[in-house]
Amino acid sequence: MKYTYQTISLDELIPPDAPVRSAVDENGLLELAESIRAHGLIQPIVVKQSGEKYEIVAGHRRYMACKFLQLATMACQVITEGEINLDLIKLDENTKREQLSYIDEAEWIRRLQDQLKLNTRELATLVNHSERWVQSRLDMLVFPKDILDAITTKGMSLAVGAQLALITDDDE
């Protein structure tokens, strides 16, 4: 498959006929829009020509966030030739991306805080999350190792880990 990179007007882009996500989390979309406002569109969307317009193959949420921001154009990776299975690309785009683990988030938050000498409020503004979110990540850096391991490898929620970390008696 071959691609070209173009800046395309949002008016020329059309949403996919069948988006992979049946529902889009509005808060997540607003966070994405704020990230794009603060840092720009880091990764172009993937499109294919459909008549005079371009159908979105991957990056529908990024497109919606740019529309919300009322941007005129956005970076696109245009499929120019080759056999393509749009459904396969859409599924791959949405299932291969893994979120950072809580531990990775926490370590990067701490790293930014140390580098930039920011307090929690300033850091929250910088990373476009609430102070509570930032503080919960920083707090977990002092959790006992067994709790961190359970959060990382066994799927324990951060909230449960935080509650367990309050217990100081090993017998409990």
Side-chain angles (χ1 to χ4, degrees):
M1 202 169 351
K2 292 189 178 180
Y3 299 92
T4 61
Y5 291 89
Q6 298 177 31
T7 300
I8 298 176
S9 164
L10 267 70
D11 294 336
E12 295 179 63
L13 298 172
I14 53 176
D17 286 336
V20 173
R21 297 173 195 273
S22 59
V24 175
D25 174 46
E26 191 171 317
N27 288 332
L29 189 61
L30 292 175
E31 286 178 8
L32 177 57
E34 286 306 313
S35 173
I36 292 170
R37 182 190 326 268
H39 307 290
L41 183 64
I42 296 169
Q43 182 179 8
I45 66 171
V46 178
V47 299
K48 72 167 187 106
Q49 190 138 20
S50 179
E52 297 293 313
K53 300 209 177 218
Y54 296 88
E55 180 182 347
I56 297 168
V57 175
H60 188 221
R61 286 183 66 245
R62 283 171 273 160
Y63 162 77
M64 290 189 300
C66 288
K67 250 185 113 100
F68 174 80
L69 294 171
Q70 299 179 336
L71 300 180
T73 62
M74 68 185 304
C76 298
Q77 190 175 358
V78 182
I79 300 170
T80 56
E81 64 182 68
E83 284 295 314
I84 56 172
N85 181 324
L86 297 182
D87 289 335
L88 182 59
I89 293 171
K90 289 175 188 177
L91 183 63
D92 191 57
E93 165 81 5
N94 285 282
T95 59
K96 294 297 188 279
R97 291 177 180 237
E98 289 186 38
Q99 298 288 16
L100 287 177
S101 72
Y102 291 126
I103 304 297
D104 291 339
E105 286 177 350
E107 288 172 351
W108 277 97
I109 294 293
R110 172 65 73 206
R111 180 183 172 137
L112 280 172
Q113 188 176 47
D114 291 346
Q115 282 178 354
L116 302 174
K117 309 292 186 233
L118 300 175
N119 65 36
T120 306
R121 175 174 286 143
E122 294 164 331
L123 197 53
T125 300
L126 180 68
V127 298
N128 196 34
H129 280 282
S130 69
E131 283 183 67
R132 183 174 176 226
W133 183 92
V134 169
Q135 192 61 57
S136 71
R137 294 328 185 257
L138 293 173
D139 289 347
M140 72 179 291
L141 291 172
V142 297
F143 288 179
K145 184 179 178 346
D146 59 336
I147 292 175
L148 290 176
D149 288 344
I151 291 170
T152 302
T153 61
K154 295 185 176 70
M156 178 187 290
S157 75
L158 183 54
V160 169
Q163 290 301 308
L164 290 174
L166 295 173
I167 301 170
T168 57
D169 184 347
D170 287 340
D171 292 334
E172 285 186 50

